[in-house]
């Protein structure tokens, strides 16, 4: 655990936390025989204010993830002058897809065709394509979202044919309380599906897996994007973002 001196500024705290996190990401990549630049850090800013995002952006972080639209929008507005890449990583409700398609660069939790079709129809014509990851849920895991491996493969094919979306890859989120061996098995299964889709011609470049508690195991299993909140920004205090998405 990193000890942060009480009198240092937010920017200094975050610089130290970011350095420590980048060192852990780099070490996990090297241990797996991978190059550390093949893992992108997605800083999950839910439960933290625009100032923390601004400070991280000034330290070179480019990708930020938010799970709750009403919490995210004021931050996106406050930081609209900065060149940040915003990722929507929460549960997708049909009545929120228009705002998501208009305001975000990426959406990670796509797990059904109806949502993908709405995002495609609602992505503004002049915006670059919306980057999409299909969320995969593994067999007996009791997580809220996600398509089975077979559904994910079919969905990936359908999304590739939709206009204004760019299929980038797969995302998964493991339930809490798994052993490292179980995490490794789950992440390995999603990596295998990712490779199968690529062998079939999908041209995916993003495997979004790993959070504060399991990103090292995810990197060992081939993750290319880790979604880290607590290990970078500390615990979340905003009641709006308490509980799982
Ligand atoms: C909140 C959240 C994260 C970050 O979780 P931490 O454990 O704080 O790193 C990552 N992915 C998703 C989908 C989340 O909702």
């Amino acid at each position: 655990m990193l000890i942060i001196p009480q009198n240092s500024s937010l920017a200094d705290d975050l610089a130290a936390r970011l350095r420590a996190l980048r060192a852990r990401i780099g070490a996990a990549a090297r241990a797996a025989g991978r190059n550390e630049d093949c893992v992108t850090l997605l800083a999950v800013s839910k439960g933290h204010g625009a100032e923390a995002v601004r400070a991280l952006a000034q330290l070179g972080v480019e990708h930020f993830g938010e799970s709750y639209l009403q919490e995210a929008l004021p931050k996106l507005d406050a930081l609209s002058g900065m060149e940040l890449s915003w990722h929507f990583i929460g549960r997708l409700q049909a009545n929120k897809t228009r705002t998501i398609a208009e305001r975000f660069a990426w959406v990670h939790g796509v797990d059904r065709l109806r949502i993908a079709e709405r995002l495609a129809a609602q992505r503004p014509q002049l915006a670059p394509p919306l980057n999409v990851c299909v969320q995969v849920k593994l067999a007996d895991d009791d997580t809220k979202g996600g398509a089975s491996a077979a559904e994910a493969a079919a969905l990936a094919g359908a999304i590739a044919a939709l206009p204004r979306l760019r299929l980038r890859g797969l995302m998964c989120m493991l339930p809490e309380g798994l052993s490292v061996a179980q995490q490794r098995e789950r992440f390995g299964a999603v990596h295998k599906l990712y490779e199968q889709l690529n062998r079939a011609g999908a041209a995916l470049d993003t495997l979004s897996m790993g959070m504060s508690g399991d990103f090292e195991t995810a990197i060992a299993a081939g993750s290319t994007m880790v979604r880290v909140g607590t290990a970078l920004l500390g615990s979340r205090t905003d009641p709006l973002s308490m509980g799982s998405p």
Side-chain angles (χ1 to χ4, degrees):
M1 195 57 218
L2 188 68
I3 308 296
I4 304 293
Q6 282 189 336
N7 58 354
S8 66
S9 70
L10 175 69
D12 291 344
D13 291 352
L14 288 176
R17 285 173 175 271
L18 180 62
R19 245 189 330 271
L21 176 61
R22 288 212 190 279
R24 287 176 64 191
I25 291 171
R30 283 190 303 276
R34 302 178 62 206
N35 187 327
E36 57 197 272
D37 342 313
C38 62
V39 183
T40 299
L41 171 62
L42 170 53
V44 176
S45 47
K46 68 179 179 208
H48 296 276
E51 282 322 301
V53 174
R54 191 191 306 278
L56 284 176
Q58 282 162 354
L59 293 163
V61 178
E62 184 185 330
H63 296 274
F64 291 89
E66 288 283 337
S67 299
Y68 305 95
L69 201 54
Q70 78 260 41
E71 184 203 337
L73 293 177
K75 275 182 247 183
L76 270 65
D77 289 338
L79 299 167
S80 61
M82 299 185 87
E83 290 277 313
L84 304 178
S85 183
W86 288 100
H87 297 231
F88 189 79
I89 62 171
R91 284 291 289 147
L92 288 158
Q93 293 164 274
N95 63 347
K96 305 270 174 66
T97 53
R98 178 175 300 280
T99 311
I100 292 167
E102 288 172 354
R103 302 296 306 274
F104 285 78
W106 288 69
V107 179
H108 288 234
V110 177
D111 61 0
R112 51 206 193 277
L113 185 57
R114 184 166 111 83
I115 291 289
E117 286 171 341
R118 291 179 66 92
L119 291 168
Q122 294 167 342
R123 180 68 168 173
Q125 298 278 356
L126 294 177
L130 180 63
N131 297 296
V132 168
C133 292
V134 168
Q135 185 175 354
V136 184
K137 167 183 180 148
L138 293 157
D140 37 2
D141 285 346
D142 185 25
T143 48
K144 283 180 190 144
S148 69
E151 288 163 352
L155 184 55
I159 290 174
L162 289 172
R164 295 193 290 282
L165 300 185
R166 180 164 168 218
L167 179 67
R168 298 297 294 266
L170 302 178
M171 178 270 213
C172 76
M173 182 155 66
L174 301 188
E176 281 173 32
L178 297 182
S179 67
V180 172
Q182 289 169 321
Q183 291 171 359
R184 201 177 289 135
E185 182 209 335
R186 305 292 198 285
F187 286 139
V190 178
H191 181 247
K192 192 168 145 215
L193 176 63
Y194 174 79
E195 304 244 280
Q196 275 167 7
L197 293 172
N198 272 340
R199 274 197 301 277
L204 307 180
D205 64 6
T206 303
L207 189 50
S208 164
M209 54 186 202
M211 317 190 351
S212 291
D214 56 19
F215 70 84
E216 282 142 326
T217 313
I219 289 170
S223 168
T224 71
M225 188 176 280
V226 292
R227 308 180 309 269
V228 180
T230 320
L232 178 58
L233 284 151
S235 60
R236 292 181 274 272
T237 49
D238 186 339
L240 191 60
S241 59
M242 288 308 198
S244 55

